[in-house]
């Protein structure tokens, strides 16, 4: 706020201890000098501020003491179909945010609205207010001033025009509070937000008032302040809610029942009833307006387009309304005071201006267009958010996974020399000394579970390559090791639940029913137990383990193993043609050796404390609702991958699961890797398989791993009866040899066909859930290979 006062008043001395350039304040040289001073004062590197694309010389009206810039990720939401007064057609909206799932949620809402015919929008009015306060000696003087000032509206308009050609003074309203008068100036400001413009205009108008004896009164006016806090500037207020400050804009749409169910994953009745509960809560708590998260959309677009971000407080006030209709749901959003502009402020900055251009918001009437776009996307976001809440999809990204006790998590700082000396001592190198430990820069391709779970927990989980300096007697060497810090099974299930929640509706509901039966229980300890195996049939075909470390109280599940290098083939999921026939023969030959370890020992394997839930026919039939939900989700969300023919056949597999899964359960089973694909497999230079990431290992027929490898590693051109039969035989004969048994070939082929069906129903259904939150480039080819193999198996 500015105030009237004596301009000749002595200024206080300039504070010492801070750097102020003597000249050239808005220059790159001055910026770097300030940055250097800040580094030396705070003793921090501030390397990220060293370079900026902004021209310091063009920021004179935007910032002082400029030292650098902060990057905020920008996502694109949409498209959303508009049928508005100032915007028509499909629009994409830039959203600058660091809140995960926000852009996806807005896009989902936009899809629902677009599929229902689009959103109608209307910029109703524009007004920017400034409200100086005049203090008089007595109430009587204030009253006389308030009565007289409206007669001078035309004089004040003339004074305003001397300052700005864009601001037009519309009205003037005096409000008497005791011996003060708050004078509310109301302007239109064209395509500018007008905050600074109206301040300058109002200041000039007030100077005119002070020069009028009949208004100021002889000695009766004591002081004035340019803003008396009744305009609602950067504050949410009932006054602005009713009268508007900025652009008042509304948006509405009609959603069909089918779209609500297919896209928003709920029903019209559930959606409207849930909204009524939320609206009632807003009334009870005294919230201005009633909405789910309008401020999220306003803040994201404000940040992306150079608006005054502090105005989110007032601009984020919104009234969201849902009503049940015979055919679906009516939805509307009114934003009474969007303080926005497409000229002035930060809109001239390069990136912000370009993003405004992408929405066509840089010409005449573009501020009204921008307002309608914000309202339309705010409506879409609220529809998606409320739908998520009422259908059980909504979950806080900051939830602490249900913990009710403090946990001292395992930290990377504990990976010190003593830890690794103990690790190497466990692996037949007693007495070895570790003289140095440092992180290695080896690029990693983490497992699906670790990669996704790392986004939902605050502790360190994942793969951490380290290089050790090791002294063994007089000899010294460097040793590369890989440290795998595993999430708990609860964290993995929570992550999977969040992903299922984003899929919404039946997927979210049925995932919660069956999450204990999807193979995640015990995934934290299972891999540790397997790396503690001593049978060479297993140890020769996995990464060499140095040590496992488990502390349940600290939720610490750690494996130290060899860092795989000099591999002939590794991490090839994005290179579908990397696997040659020779590589496949090696993998299936050695897979038979791995399977022989527990083949014929099913009762003993079931007794292992780490085996977790074992899939069975009864469960698979009971979980039919989940399999159907996964199939429908995949077909609806990814129709370019899950074509109608495959979806229909998948539904047929699910419908008959009570006939074919009991056949699987009746066959001889063993320990299977259960994630046997190129993401988790390597071929050593000496021609041996190396299989890692064993957290999902379970009891199943051995053909399960065979089927998964073929549909994920086989070149599509090689999917023919002869090649598949030969590869299957390689696996069968190897298992016969290492298990010292005889395997009926007809039964083997039957098991292979059933394993393909099981993969389609179960594994790929969950893959498409993960694909919803993290794009997997390999998934389309794997899916097409799967159905090509199923077609081939059914015609053989």
């Amino acid at each position: 706020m500015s105030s009237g006062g004596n301009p000749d008043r002595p200024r206080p001395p300039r504070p010492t201890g801070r750097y102020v350039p003597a000249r050239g304040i808005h220059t790159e040289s001055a910026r770097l000098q300030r940055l250097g001073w800040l580094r030396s004062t705070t003793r921090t590197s501030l390397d990220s501020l060293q370079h900026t694309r902004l021209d310091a010389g063009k920021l004179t009206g935007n910032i002082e003491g400029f030292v650098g810039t902060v990057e905020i990720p920008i996502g694109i939401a949409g498209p959303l179909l508009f049928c508005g007064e100032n915007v028509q057609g499909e629009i994409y909206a830039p959203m600058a945010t660091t809140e995960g799932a926000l852009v996806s949620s807005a896009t989902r809402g936009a899809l629902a609205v677009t599929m229902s015919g689009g959103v109608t929008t209307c910029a109703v009015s524009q007004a920017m207010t400034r409200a100086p306060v005049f203090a008089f000696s007595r109430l009587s003087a204030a009253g006389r001033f308030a009565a007289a000032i409206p007669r001078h509206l035309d004089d004040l308009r003339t004074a305003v025009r001397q300052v700005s050609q864009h601001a037009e003074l519309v009205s003037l309203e005096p409000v008497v509070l005791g011996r003060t008068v708050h004078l509310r100036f109301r302007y239109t400001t064209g395509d500018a937000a007008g905050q600074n413009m109206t301040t300058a205009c109002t200041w000039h108008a007030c100077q005119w008032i002070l020069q009028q004896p009949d208004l100021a009164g002889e000695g009766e006016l004591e002081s004035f302040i340019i803003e008396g806090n009744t305009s609602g500037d950067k504050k949410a207020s009932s006054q602005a809610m009713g009268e508007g400050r900025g652009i008042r804009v509304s948006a509405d749409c009609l959603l069909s029942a089918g779209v609500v169910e297919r896209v928003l994953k709920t029903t019209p009745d559930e959606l409207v009833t849930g909204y009524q509960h939320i609206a009632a809560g807003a009334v009870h708590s005294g919230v201005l307006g009633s909405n789910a998260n309008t401020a999220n959309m306003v803040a994201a677009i404000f940040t992306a387009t150079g608006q005054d971000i502090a105005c989110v407080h007032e601009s984020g006030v919104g009234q969201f309304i849902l009503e049940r209709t015979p055919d679906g749901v009516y939805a509307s959003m009114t934003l009474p005071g969007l303080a926005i502009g497409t000229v002035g402020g930060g809109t001239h900055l390069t990136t912000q201006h370009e993003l405004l251009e992408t929405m066509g918001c840089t010409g005449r009437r573009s501020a009204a267009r921008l307002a309608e776009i914000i309202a339309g996307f705010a409506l879409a976001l609220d529809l998606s958010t409320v739908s998520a809440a009422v259908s059980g999809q909504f979950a806080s990204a900051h939830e602490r996974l249900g913990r009710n006790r403090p946990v001292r998590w395992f930290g990377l700082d504990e990976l010190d020399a003593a830890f690794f000396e103990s690790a190497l001592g466990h692996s037949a190198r007693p007495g070895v000394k570790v003289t140095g430990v440092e992180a290695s820069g080896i690029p990693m391709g983490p497992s699906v579970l670790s990669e996704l779970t790392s986004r939902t927990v605050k502790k360190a989980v994942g793969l951490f390559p380290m290089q050790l300096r090791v002294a063994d007697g007089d000899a010294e060497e460097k040793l590369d090791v890989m440290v795998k810090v595993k999430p708990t099974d609860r964290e993995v299930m929570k992550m999977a639940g969040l992903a299922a929640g984003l899929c919404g509706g039946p997927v979210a509901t049925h995932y919660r029913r069956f999450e204990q039966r999807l193979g995640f229980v015990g995934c934290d300890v299972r891999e540790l137990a397997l790396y503690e195996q001593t049978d060479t049939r297993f140890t020769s075909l996995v990464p060499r383990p140095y040590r496992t470390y488990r502390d349940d109280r600290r939720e610490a599940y750690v494996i130290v193993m060899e860092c795989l290098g000099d591999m002939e083939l590794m991490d090839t999921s994005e290179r579908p043609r990397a696997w040659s026939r020779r590589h496949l023969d090696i993998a299936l030959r050695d897979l038979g050796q791995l399977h022989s370890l527990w083949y014929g020992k099913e009762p003993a394997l079931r007794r292992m404390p780490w085996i977790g839930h074992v899939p069975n026919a009864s469960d698979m039939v009971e979980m039919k609702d989940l399999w159907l939900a996964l199939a429908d989700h995949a077909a609806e969300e990814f129709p370019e991958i899950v074509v109608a023919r495959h979806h229909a056949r998948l539904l047929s597999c699910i419908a008959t699961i009570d006939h074919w899964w009991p056949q699987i359960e009746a066959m001889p089973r063993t320990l299977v890797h259960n994630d046997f694909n190129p993401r988790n497999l390597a071929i050593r230079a000496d021609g041996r398989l190396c299989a890692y990431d064993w957290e999902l290992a379970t009891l199943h027929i051995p053909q399960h791993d065979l089927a998964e490898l073929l549909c994920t590693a086989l070149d599509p051109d090689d999917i023919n009866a002869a090649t598949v039969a030969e590869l299957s035989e390689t696996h069968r004969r190897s298992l016969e040899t290492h298990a010292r048994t005889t395997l009926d070939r007809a039964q083997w082929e039957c098991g292979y066909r059933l394993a393909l069906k099981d993969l389609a129903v179960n594994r790929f259904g969950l893959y498409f859930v993960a694909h919803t939150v993290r794009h997997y480039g390999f998934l389309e080819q794997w899916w097409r290979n799967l159905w090509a193999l199923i077609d081939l198996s059914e015609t053989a």
Side-chain angles (χ1 to χ4, degrees), residues 488-556:
T488 67
D489 57 357
R490 289 184 294 106
E491 289 164 340
V492 171
M493 286 188 287
K494 179 67 69 174
M495 172 278 300
L498 291 173
L502 288 176
C503 298
V507 172
T509 299
H510 298 307
Y511 169 82
R512 289 195 300 273
R513 289 175 57 198
F514 301 118
E515 64 178 352
Q516 299 286 325
R517 307 188 209 176
L518 292 173
F520 300 135
V521 175
C523 64
D524 43 11
V525 299
R526 187 176 308 124
E527 188 171 25
L528 272 68
L530 286 171
Y531 275 112
E532 291 167 358
Q533 301 295 306
T534 58
D535 192 306
T536 56
R537 286 176 293 176
F538 182 82
T539 59
S540 64
L541 299 175
V542 301
R544 179 184 180 185
Y546 293 112
R547 179 188 182 184
T548 61
Y549 173 79
R550 174 179 176 180
D551 187 338
D552 293 333
R553 294 171 302 174
R554 300 185 60 199
E555 301 179 355

Side-chain angles (χ1 to χ4, degrees), residues 602-620:
E602 183 172 327
L605 184 57
R606 285 181 176 275
R607 289 194 296 269
M608 292 295 104
W610 43 263
I611 191 59
H613 180 78
V614 174
N616 58 75
S618 176
D619 279 348
M620 295 298 290

Side-chain angles (χ1 to χ4, degrees), residues 105 108 264-266 270-271 274-275 278 292 381-395 501 504-505 512:
S105 183
R108 183 177 76 142
L264 299 180
K265 311 298 184 182
T266 185
E270 288 175 346
L271 180 57
Y275 156 77
I278 294 170
L381 179 60
D382 261 31
L383 279 169
S384 181
T385 303
V386 174
S387 298
V390 302
S391 65
Q393 304 164 48
F394 187 81
R512 289 195 300 273

Side-chain angles (χ1 to χ4, degrees), residues 1 12 95 147 160 201 215 291 321 447 499 502 515 543 559 594 648 705 723:
M1 292 188 240
M95 297 176 64
V160 164
C201 289
L215 291 176
N291 61 80
I321 295 174
S447 69
L502 288 176
E515 64 178 352
I559 305 168
L594 286 170
D705 284 344
T723 299

Side-chain angles (χ1 to χ4, degrees), residues 11 14 20 38 65 105 144 152 154 186 222 278 370 399 404 409 448 479 554 558 584 628 695 743 763 790 793:
R11 294 183 178 179
R14 174 176 291 176
V20 180
L38 186 59
S105 183
R144 287 193 298 272
H152 295 277
D154 288 339
R186 189 175 180 87
E222 294 182 346
I278 294 170
L370 178 60
E399 186 182 42
N404 55 13
W409 291 317
V448 173
L479 178 65
R554 300 185 60 199
V558 184
L584 289 166
L628 288 171
E695 48 257 299
L743 303 178
R763 171 52 50 82
I790 291 176
S793 71

Side-chain angles (χ1 to χ4, degrees), residues 359-398:
M359 296 183 287
C361 294
T362 55
R364 187 174 178 273
R365 291 282 295 171
S366 55
R369 178 183 174 90
L370 178 60
E372 292 186 19
I373 290 172
I374 293 174
F377 275 94
L379 174 63
L381 179 60
D382 261 31
L383 279 169
S384 181
T385 303
V386 174
S387 298
V390 302
S391 65
Q393 304 164 48
F394 187 81
S396 170
H398 304 290

